[in-house]
Amino acid sequence: LWLDWAPSDKWHFSAGKLPVLLGGFEWDTAPIDVYYWSGFCNHVAEVYALGTQAFWSPVEGHTFSFQATQSPWSRGTWDCFAYNLGWTGRIAPWWKTIWTVNYMEDVLHGGMQYISLGNRFEAGRMALELDWTDREAIHRQQRSLTDMTFIGRLVYDAGNWNVFLKGGYDVNDALNASPDGVAFDYNYPAGLEY
């Protein structure tokens, strides 16, 4: 449940239990249409979180959003937050985007930065979705591109049916953990490859 207020055509505000603005097309798709989640999406415990959100649409087809919510990694505590920036737009008539930058706190009071670039390329009844998400621990020693997800989905619209081929790769290097073995990434533990 959330409240929504649109004081103008360009501005729109929401408050309540909101879907967390976290990723690309796989994350944004209704669960009934996903069929098989990536390892990262499958590990998210709380898809909806209490918070506020502001949307700004400077021109038709482009929306920028800022969201502040409870962190999806809060596990029921009230002192973990998430700050999310997003852009939903169209670079060309055949290229749609859902790009986000996120900072998520967890119950161990660590922070993770996520950069997610969701792209959808359309040609007639065919569409190719390519989502890439990079996850990096803040203030901890982590090599770049060692905690990430890449998902590709080719979709053919056959009228009442969609036929698709989907594949992907999730990895979080085993070295992305503190000396005492606690993984930096609270959601997708170190050493997993999917």
Side-chain angles (χ1 to χ4, degrees), residues 6-23:
S8 73
D9 291 341
K10 296 192 183 296
W11 287 96
H12 170 137
F13 301 93
S14 298
K17 194 84 167 182
L18 303 169
V20 178
L21 182 65
L22 181 59

Side-chain angles (χ1 to χ4, degrees), residues 66-89:
F66 173 73
Q67 184 183 70
T69 66
Q70 283 182 280
S71 173
W73 324 144
S74 67
R75 304 287 183 193
T77 64
W78 289 93
D79 61 346
C80 298
F81 300 97
Y83 306 96
N84 311 306
L85 291 171
W87 169 53
T88 306

Side-chain angles (χ1 to χ4, degrees), residues 44-59:
V44 176
E46 297 180 39
V47 176
Y48 294 88
L50 191 62
T52 61
Q53 188 165 298
F55 299 92
W56 176 52
S57 301
V59 294

Side-chain angles (χ1 to χ4, degrees), residues 5 8 19 27 31 37 40 42 45 61 68 71 80 113 117 122 132 140 150 162 168 174 192:
W5 178 49
S8 73
W27 179 258
W37 291 100
F40 174 73
N42 200 37
S71 173
C80 298
Q113 169 189 295
L117 304 176
E122 300 172 338
W132 175 71
R140 289 173 254 167
F150 178 77
N162 282 335
L192 283 184

Side-chain angles (χ1 to χ4, degrees), residues 140-159:
R140 289 173 254 167
Q141 297 297 319
Q142 178 178 332
R143 292 177 298 130
S144 295
L145 304 177
T146 58
D147 185 2
M148 65 178 181
T149 299
F150 178 77
I151 298 295
R153 188 171 88 132
L154 182 63
V155 181
Y156 176 73
D157 180 358

